[in-house]
Amino acid sequence: MAEKLTTQEGQPWANNQHSLTAGQRGPVLIQDYQLLEKLAHFDRERIPERVVHAKGAGAKGVFKVTHDMSAYTKADLFNGEGKETPLAIRISQVAGELGYPDTIRDVRGFAVKFYTEQGNYDIVGNNTPIFFINDPLKFPDFIHSQKRDPRSHKRDVNMQFDFWAHSPESIHQVTYLMGDRGNPTSYRTMNGYGSHTYKWVNAAGEQFWVKYHFISDQGVSNMTNEVAEKLAGQDTDYLQNELFSAIEDGNYPSWTLYVQIIPYQEGLDYKYDIFDVTKVVSHKDYPLQEVGVMTLNANPDNYFEDVEEIAFSPANLVPGIEPSLDKLLQGRLFAYKDAARYRLGANYEQLKANRPRNEVHNYARDGFMAQNQDGSVNYEPNSQGGPVEDPHASISGDMFQGMTGAYEPYDTDYYSAAGRLYNLMSEEEKQRLVETFKQTLGTIDSLENKRLMVQQMARADADYGQRVADAIGVDMADIDL
């Protein structure tokens, strides 16, 4: 027997088909509080979409440790072979809005929330091991350039390349994005990365630098520009629907988590700046070490509660895992939680998707939508037996010295990493990369920006620059190398 319809306050709801009116032809009565409440709630059903990563798909799953990492970190979720931790994941588009086709070429967000016994731990990265910029001061400008023109309201390739042409640190990521991996065939057939360098600390206080790699157990496959364009017209939610259907059918995707572990001092002395997210650390120098397997085995129970209301932040850390000196990461530690407070409210951590599995004890009180509050003391220090500090969570410090200032990056070699990436590509991949630049960079209005982009490519690799120049009609004689 069906349950009885009620209002939000639990009162019986007699008629959900017709409003109360003064006579058969109206007008509608203001005393019809059920109508007013229904309309008022409907008016507020859409929360602000994410400024970045607005469109995405989510799932639930479990992480199982296959190789104990206690020699490197005291983080509970990575200690003990066979250890299992529930998790939620959101895979997203960076630039487009909530209704944008998800097969359009873009970086894909790859965010994992582990519900550990020590609190929530989030790895918030992308399907690329690098990013376009290395300073948080440039992030709003970068995102503005990828969004819509303030006058025409069009997404404009001129804006995108205008920013990239004047930000040479972006050429490594632009090469990655315009290559095959800029258009994955499926969310299941792409890798995920923590992107930044993080710090692991073991129980003895030893420190290590670490980079995260989620390698798809389904393999990596990508779609052509032509297929992506066709799918965008047929199903704007193609990648989301493909993941949902696979999980619904019991075809559970998995990723094996590997890490690169770099001894503390070696990381500081490495030939590239490991704290610059536009660069990578060579697998030859620091090979991948297996940690465990992440399996997605359940779809959302309710998309809004499980995916739209989930909030990730690289500041969600647990003992044994700490930030690094990465400037962009430092900015994200603030920005992500602040964005969640704007979008979801001051107490967004109390929502189901963000609630930790362990009990929460602190002195934060009140604010919009506060739940589960008691009458205990709300200040510290106190003599009332309130929660006290846990030295186990103390941060391991880093030495630094110098004068404050707005400095250029420590390592200003923006180009060689993009050249190495280009030379890892097969001849067929290089041809597709050049064709993609012809279809994008080749269509912009500014000849100067075309030249600046070709200059970056040529500084990365001479063949790379020459082939793109030929494709878009730029004379290499006009390029300052």
Side-chain angles (χ1 to χ4, degrees):
M1 185 174 181
E3 295 180 343
K4 300 296 186 182
L5 187 66
T6 71
T7 67
Q8 292 282 71
E9 299 282 353
Q11 301 126 346
W13 193 310
N15 192 320
N16 194 36
Q17 311 304 317
H18 306 291
S19 304
L20 293 179
T21 59
Q24 189 174 27
R25 302 184 69 178
V28 173
L29 300 179
I30 196 170
Q31 75 182 49
D32 190 350
Y33 70 92
Q34 292 175 340
L35 167 67
L36 300 184
E37 286 300 300
K38 188 175 184 180
L39 292 177
H41 189 279
F42 176 78
D43 291 344
R44 293 160 175 81
E45 281 183 357
R46 292 295 175 264
I47 62 176
E49 68 177 40
R50 292 167 170 88
V51 177
V52 193
H53 298 272
K55 179 158 191 164
K60 303 174 185 179
V62 64
F63 178 78
K64 183 175 182 178
V65 176
T66 55
H67 291 77
D68 176 74
M69 291 286 117
S70 58
Y72 304 105
T73 177
K74 62 184 178 182
D76 175 77
L77 79 158
F78 298 138
N79 286 186
E81 189 171 322
K83 174 80 175 183
E84 293 191 354
T85 301
L87 59 85
I89 185 172
R90 186 173 185 269
I91 306 176
S92 56
Q93 320 303 116
V94 170
E97 297 88 3
L98 196 57
Y100 209 72
D102 60 13
T103 56
I104 298 296
R105 184 177 295 273
D106 198 356
V107 173
R108 269 68 180 190
F110 195 95
V112 185
K113 184 181 292 291
F114 299 90
Y115 299 98
T116 89
E117 295 172 2
Q118 298 176 308
N120 293 345
Y121 174 50
D122 294 355
I123 297 178
V124 194
N126 291 315
N127 69 329
T128 67
I130 47 178
F131 199 60
F132 298 92
I133 56 173
N134 52 19
D135 193 302
L137 196 63
K138 296 186 71 170
F139 190 76
D141 298 292
F142 163 63
I143 294 301
H144 288 169
S145 75
Q146 309 302 299
K147 290 287 190 177
R148 295 184 178 272
D149 182 275
R151 181 169 178 266
S152 68
H153 201 58
K154 296 188 300 183
R155 285 197 68 194
D156 192 343
V157 70
N158 287 284
M159 295 169 57
Q160 295 175 342
F161 278 102
D162 193 20
F163 180 88
W164 291 333
H166 292 87
S167 302
E169 70 271 26
S170 68
I171 186 60
H172 192 187
Q173 175 70 296
V174 171
T175 303
Y176 203 106
L177 173 63
M178 297 300 171
D180 286 358
R181 295 197 182 195
N183 264 347
T185 301
S186 161
Y187 286 145
R188 299 180 297 117
T189 60
M190 69 180 207
N191 296 335
Y193 302 89
S195 300
H196 299 286
T197 298
Y198 290 87
K199 186 200 293 182
W200 275 6
V201 183
N202 66 18
E206 296 174 298
Q207 303 177 63
F208 306 86
W209 304 115
V210 65
K211 297 186 81 74
Y212 294 106
H213 304 252
F214 290 88
I215 305 301
S216 171
D217 294 327
Q218 293 70 238
V220 171
S221 66
N222 308 289
M223 64 178 72
T224 64
N225 293 329
E226 293 73 23
V227 170
E229 183 177 352
K230 181 180 179 181
L231 288 173
Q234 292 178 343
D235 182 357
T236 57
D237 304 319
Y238 174 80
L239 293 179
Q240 170 190 287
N241 295 340
E242 198 277 342
L243 176 65
F244 186 94
S245 296
I247 295 174
E248 202 75 356
D249 293 341
N251 183 14
Y252 301 144
S254 64
W255 288 257
T256 299
L257 174 61
Y258 297 88
V259 291
Q260 289 176 284
I261 297 175
I262 310 161
Y264 186 86
Q265 190 59 46
E266 288 184 28
L268 298 177
D269 298 334
Y270 189 59
K271 57 187 175 183
Y272 310 122
D273 183 3
I274 69 169
F275 308 120
D276 185 334
V277 74
T278 67
K279 298 175 171 64
V280 295
V281 172
S282 169
H283 292 194
K284 293 180 181 178
D285 295 335
Y286 297 100
L288 298 182
Q289 299 187 42
E290 184 176 329
V291 181
V293 177
M294 174 179 72
T295 303
L296 304 183
N297 55 20
N299 278 314
D301 298 315
N302 176 278
Y303 183 90
F304 186 82
E305 281 194 350
D306 293 335
V307 183
E308 196 63 18
E309 287 192 321
I310 197 169
F312 298 90
S313 171
N316 286 336
L317 301 163
V318 292
I321 306 174
E322 300 176 8
S324 73
L325 307 178
D326 184 326
K327 288 196 290 185
L328 188 67
L329 172 60
Q330 295 281 325
R332 295 178 74 206
L333 298 178
F334 164 75
Y336 278 60
K337 283 183 173 289
D338 193 53
R341 280 187 285 269
Y342 162 74
R343 197 172 68 87
L344 299 170
N347 291 296
Y348 73 90
E349 296 101 332
Q350 297 178 21
L351 295 170
K352 183 182 73 171
N354 304 314
R355 201 176 301 145
R357 65 192 290 195
N358 57 316
E359 291 187 4
V360 172
H361 302 288
N362 58 48
Y363 298 95
R365 293 289 189 277
D366 307 337
F368 287 112
M369 307 299 285
Q371 303 174 59
N372 305 318
Q373 298 195 114
D374 56 28
S376 61
V377 62
N378 63 350
Y379 58 88
E380 197 276 336
N382 62 73
S383 61
Q384 309 302 310
V388 297
E389 298 136 333
D390 183 356
H392 176 64
S394 295
I395 296 296
S396 302
D398 298 299
M399 291 293 296
F400 66 93
Q401 60 182 0
M403 186 81 67
T404 58
Y407 289 100
E408 291 289 320
Y410 173 76
D411 180 356
T412 56
D413 175 11
Y414 304 131
Y415 310 108
S416 63
R420 289 189 294 274
L421 175 60
Y422 176 77
N423 283 295
L424 286 174
M425 296 179 181
S426 68
E427 178 57 29
E428 291 75 18
E429 288 177 301
K430 290 177 180 177
Q431 291 174 4
R432 289 191 291 269
L433 173 69
V434 172
E435 181 61 28
T436 297
F437 276 119
K438 182 178 180 180
Q439 296 174 13
T440 54
L441 176 61
T443 67
I444 71 172
D445 300 328
S446 171
L447 177 58
E448 177 62 20
N449 284 344
K450 289 180 181 178
R451 288 171 175 168
L452 286 173
M453 289 301 304
V454 169
Q455 179 189 67
Q456 294 175 19
M457 297 168 194
R459 289 177 176 179
D461 181 89
D463 179 67
Y464 184 10
Q466 185 67 62
R467 291 171 70 162
V468 173
D470 292 343
I472 67 174
V474 168
D475 188 344
M476 286 299 294
D478 297 327
I479 304 300
D480 180 13
L481 297 179

